[in-house]
Amino acid sequence: MQSLWDEREATRFCGDLGLRVYSSTLLGREKSLVLHGGGNTSVKIREQNLVGEAQDILYVKGSGWDLEFIEEQGFSPVRMAPLLKLAKLDSLSDPEMVNELKACMTRASAPSPSVETILHAVLPHKYVDHTHADTVLAITNTENGLKRVREIYDDIAVVIPYVMPGFDLALACARIFPAEANKNTIGMILMNHGVFSFGKTARESYERMIHLVTLAEEYLKSHGAWEIPIPKGAPVLKARAERLAQLRAEISNVIGFPVILCSQQDDLSLHFARRKDVANISQQGPTTPDHVIRTKRLPMLGTNVQSYCLAYQKYFAENTSCANNKKIMLDPAPRVILDPELGMCSVGYTAKDTTIVAHIYKHSMSTILRAERLGRYKALSAKDIFDVEYWDLEQAKLQNAKKQLLFDGEVVLVTGAASGIGKACVDSLLARGAAVVGLDVNPAINAMYDRVDFLGLTCDVSEKETLEQNLEAAVRRFGGLDMVVLNAGIFPASREIADLEQNVWRKVMNINLDANLYVLQSCHPLLMLSPRGGRIVVIGSKTVRAPGPGVAAYSASKAALNQLARVAALQWAQDKIRINILNPNAVFDTGIWTDEVLKARAEHYGQSVEEYKTNNLLRIEVTSRDVAELAAEMCGPLFAKTTGAQIPVDGGNERVI
């Protein structure tokens, strides 16, 4: 592993804490060292308090911050003196420890200090770095891991047997490290957990970490365990969207609310899932307790969710007392599923959670495969894994992680999503926590948002085969479908019926009516599996109730779509799918309302453009966001008992009323 330290770049960071920030971000860039908030760093600084007294402060990475993007405010300032006193206690529960750490902070607005704060404090070095290096874990997590580690590091690193993170680990290190460290010691190896390095400067501590990890890499290379032979271009068996949606529905049912499920079918995932020994190597457990915390559950083979959960509940009952059962939130559902066809499926409460699980397990697969080539992968014992997963602190996080946004864990498909009402719907639904799939003929949809909870796909919904391919991609990404907003449509130039060409008529009908039929047909099997019941919002038009001259094709297509939606509401109610219709009018910030069309319609009614925009009873302009907010709310609990409704969003129209 190469050092990324750049002296010119480092000069932009001022003081000890600034350099701590810089070296921390260098560690964060190396995903094989830390993933999604894993690992932590610290620096000890002497400062004066408000009354002029000198005091030693430990600045340690705060909870919730990712090393790659950490800033000075991401470090928690904690007084050293009380930390060293706490380290001398014989015992301290972790909830008590967390309380004491917060009480020792010098800035109330700072994030909560890492649970390994006391461990950082007892190490007699100014700078301390801690990572979960994949290469080191590939060595420690083998049958002869302890022997191998001692062979690699000799006297330059103190080796600590596995102890659960928290106060007990700090206590063990406070006892073992002083007794075994010497003048050559530059780090510490925590078996089945990770690596510590330290130094007088930020650069020294950082580069010592790089050196320790490099030694592990060289050991793996010399023992033929570095390169992982993975067949390229493994045949991908088409996974029907309904199968993934069914799997997601089963997991959601076990957890009690919707989840996001992502199917990874890259070469590594398929190779790992198709190995003959996958039933053995995948069930050993995660590579580090940090990954137990983030994935929350061991991988499951195949798709028999019910059997897996029953087995876990039995194991849980056998390993906990009745008293503890009342305190522990049991969530028996898997977070990783391995299947020869689906590859590696990750599960989470949100798209972000699911992405984190996927990233962690991909690194875990590589680590496990290297450990297998080195000898045999051997993770923590089942009891150790259980203790970390149902740790008091993790239970508190699980309680706090309960869904807070309206559509957390749910998936929405929006057609015509690149502009106007469609884009506004995407924004409204994302703001409510949904994972959103946006379809549009405009290729700009692909890059509309760079975020894990949005998937933009170029798609002409009037082409059924293309539509189904895109639905397959959507379900592989998010696991299913809960809501659909039918928004795609065109608004042709105004013309008399006598002048209406057949090709224009057919094009309008094809896009505004036929394409929506294809979407409904294709989405129906997926919506039937929605944990909370499927929801469809059709973006109709005022012209359904009050057509105007010159828009025969558009009015007829929207009226037909209205009837199609009403029939679907009648037929699909038995499938717990509700369908409602919004009829907006005069929404001018949309793609169909070009300046040319707007001017022509205003002239047709003998009005100025501004008069035409507010030509309603309330004399107000209706925007895309107005329509989108109502569309989103109609998918929520306020309209849970409403289907087949036709609601105007038009500022009031005499002919409609």
Side-chain angles (χ1 to χ4, degrees), residues 208 221 291 314 338 361 363 372 439 469 490 560 623 657:
R208 283 177 170 180
K221 291 174 183 177
H291 293 177
K314 180 181 178 182
L338 300 172
Y361 203 74
H363 280 262
E372 281 292 301
L439 303 183
Q469 290 172 352
I490 60 173
T623 67
I657 293 173

Side-chain angles (χ1 to χ4, degrees), residues 460-528:
D460 183 344
V461 291
S462 67
E463 297 177 0
K464 193 168 185 179
E465 184 176 347
T466 303
L467 171 65
E468 291 178 348
Q469 290 172 352
N470 280 279
L471 276 178
E472 183 85 19
V475 176
R476 282 202 308 271
R477 175 72 171 268
F478 296 128
L481 197 59
D482 303 287
M483 296 165 263
V484 175
V485 178
L486 293 178
N487 171 70
I490 60 173
F491 190 93
S494 177
R495 65 194 69 194
E496 297 294 325
I497 292 177
D499 301 323
L500 183 58
E501 299 94 335
Q502 286 287 318
N503 63 322
V504 173
W505 173 270
R506 293 194 185 95
K507 182 178 180 180
V508 173
M509 288 296 173
N510 184 41
I511 295 174
N512 290 3
L513 177 61
D514 299 346
N516 284 307
L517 172 63
Y518 301 154
V519 175
L520 289 172
Q521 290 173 328
S522 299
C523 292
H524 177 250
L526 303 174
L527 293 170
M528 287 177 63

Side-chain angles (χ1 to χ4, degrees), residues 555-569:
S555 296
S557 67
K558 286 294 186 178
L561 175 60
N562 182 281
Q563 288 297 89
L564 174 63
R566 293 172 67 193
V567 173

Side-chain angles (χ1 to χ4, degrees), residues 164-472:
M164 182 174 165
F167 182 75
D168 290 345
L169 176 58
L171 204 61
C173 292
R175 185 183 73 253
I176 298 173
F177 184 82
E180 297 192 8
N182 60 65
K183 63 179 182 179
N184 298 321
T185 302
I186 64 171
M188 187 166 64
I189 306 298
L190 307 183
M191 294 299 294
N192 304 94
H193 185 157
V195 189
F196 274 82
S197 64
F198 25 74
K200 296 178 182 178
T201 66
R203 181 171 187 172
E204 182 177 56
S205 184
Y206 165 73
E207 293 193 333
R208 283 177 170 180
M209 175 64 70
I210 300 303
H211 178 60
L212 292 170
V213 174
T214 299
L215 290 176
E217 290 180 358
E218 292 173 349
Y219 183 87
L220 291 171
K221 291 174 183 177
S222 66
H223 287 72
W226 179 251
E227 297 294 337
I228 305 171
I230 299 174
K232 301 297 181 183
V236 178
L237 303 179
K238 184 177 180 181
R240 290 194 56 78
E242 291 93 326
R243 183 180 174 196
L244 283 168
Q246 179 64 52
L247 178 58
R248 171 184 176 249
E250 292 175 15
I251 296 171
S252 299
N253 182 58
V254 168
I255 294 179
F257 42 73
V259 297
I260 301 296
L261 181 148
C262 180
S263 173
Q264 307 275 339
Q265 297 182 356
D266 56 282
D267 290 333
L268 173 61
S269 297
L270 288 172
H271 168 69
F272 193 83
R274 292 172 180 177
R275 282 178 63 105
K276 292 181 180 179
D277 60 351
V278 65
N280 176 48
I281 62 175
S282 69
Q283 302 304 296
Q284 297 293 317
T287 58
T288 167
D290 193 70
H291 293 177
V292 175
I293 291 168
R294 283 168 174 75
T295 58
K296 293 302 296 178
R297 179 98 312 105
L298 301 180
M300 179 187 77
L301 298 177
T303 56
N304 192 342
V305 176
Q306 194 64 31
S307 297
Y308 175 90
C309 294
L310 289 173
Y312 191 86
Q313 288 171 325
K314 180 181 178 182
Y315 173 79
F316 178 87
E318 292 172 349
N319 286 273
T320 55
S321 66
C322 292
N324 283 337
N325 278 340
K326 295 179 181 178
K327 301 176 184 178
I328 291 177
M329 296 177 63
L330 177 61
D331 173 3
R335 291 299 183 269
V336 177
I337 296 170
L338 300 172
D339 183 272
E341 294 183 22
L342 304 180
M344 185 267 288
C345 297
S346 55
V347 178
Y349 297 156
T350 65
K352 180 180 178 181
D353 295 338
T354 306
T355 301
I356 290 174
V357 171
H359 286 175
I360 287 176
Y361 203 74
K362 279 195 173 182
H363 280 262
S364 297
M365 288 190 287
S366 296
T367 301
I368 291 170
L369 293 176
R370 286 195 173 112
E372 281 292 301
R373 290 183 66 80
L374 195 60
R376 190 173 76 86
Y377 177 67
K378 184 179 180 182
L380 297 170
S381 69
K383 183 182 183 305
D384 287 328
I385 294 170
F386 186 90
D387 288 344
V388 174
E389 186 174 357
Y390 290 98
W391 190 12
D392 288 341
L393 301 184
E394 284 310 305
Q395 286 294 296
K397 288 181 184 178
L398 186 61
Q399 183 70 39
N400 293 334
K402 282 185 174 180
K403 295 179 177 297
Q404 299 176 347
L405 296 176
L406 183 63
F407 296 139
D408 275 353
E410 296 201 278
V411 186
V412 190
L413 177 75
V414 180
T415 66
S419 62
I421 293 174
K423 185 176 183 297
C425 285
V426 170
D427 294 339
S428 294
L429 292 159
L430 285 172
R432 288 165 171 79
V436 180
V437 180
L439 303 183
D440 204 288
V441 292
N442 185 351
I445 190 69
N446 298 68
M448 190 167 82
Y449 291 120
D450 181 17
R451 46 191 293 175
V452 296
D453 53 359
F454 176 76
L455 175 63
L457 299 170
T458 304
C459 178
D460 183 344
V461 291
S462 67
E463 297 177 0
K464 193 168 185 179
E465 184 176 347
T466 303
L467 171 65
E468 291 178 348
Q469 290 172 352
N470 280 279
L471 276 178
E472 183 85 19

Side-chain angles (χ1 to χ4, degrees), residues 39-155:
N40 41 69
T41 58
S42 68
V43 59
K44 301 176 179 75
I45 302 175
R46 172 156 288 194
E47 298 177 337
Q48 283 192 339
N49 61 20
L50 289 176
V51 295
E53 298 171 337
Q55 54 184 354
D56 292 322
I57 305 296
L58 176 73
Y59 281 86
V60 63
K61 193 201 87 167
S63 297
W65 281 82
D66 189 316
L67 285 179
E68 183 177 6
F69 307 106
I70 199 164
E71 301 171 5
E72 288 193 6
Q73 60 264 35
F75 285 88
S76 305
V78 190
R79 297 179 183 88
M80 279 285 292
L83 291 179
L84 296 177
K85 290 180 181 178
L86 290 173
K88 294 179 180 179
L89 295 175
D90 293 329
S91 64
L92 182 67
S93 74
D94 287 310
E96 289 175 327
M97 179 188 70
V98 169
N99 182 70
E100 290 299 317
L101 295 182
K102 289 183 177 180
C104 295
M105 290 168 54
T106 63
R107 191 175 76 243
S109 61
S112 297
S114 164
V115 295
E116 289 170 335
T117 295
I118 296 177
L119 172 50
H120 281 257
V122 301
L123 292 173
H125 299 274
K126 184 176 181 67
Y127 287 90
V128 176
D129 295 357
H130 172 42
T131 73
H132 306 285
D134 291 348
T135 50
V136 176
L137 292 171
I139 296 167
T140 64
N141 290 21
T142 58
E143 286 189 322
N144 299 315
L146 183 60
K147 179 181 177 182
R148 295 178 187 277
V149 167
R150 294 193 186 282
E151 177 186 340
I152 296 168
Y153 296 110
D154 193 21
D155 66 343

Side-chain angles (χ1 to χ4, degrees), residues 540-549 551 554-555 558 582-586 601 605 612 615 647-650 652-653 655-656:
S541 170
K542 180 268 297 184
T543 62
V544 172
R545 295 288 186 88
V551 289
Y554 180 79
S555 296
K558 286 294 186 178
L582 291 181
N583 289 324
N585 182 45
R601 295 306 297 165
Y605 285 98
Y612 185 66
N615 185 24
I647 301 177
V649 192
D650 56 12
N653 183 284
R655 294 175 62 206
V656 171

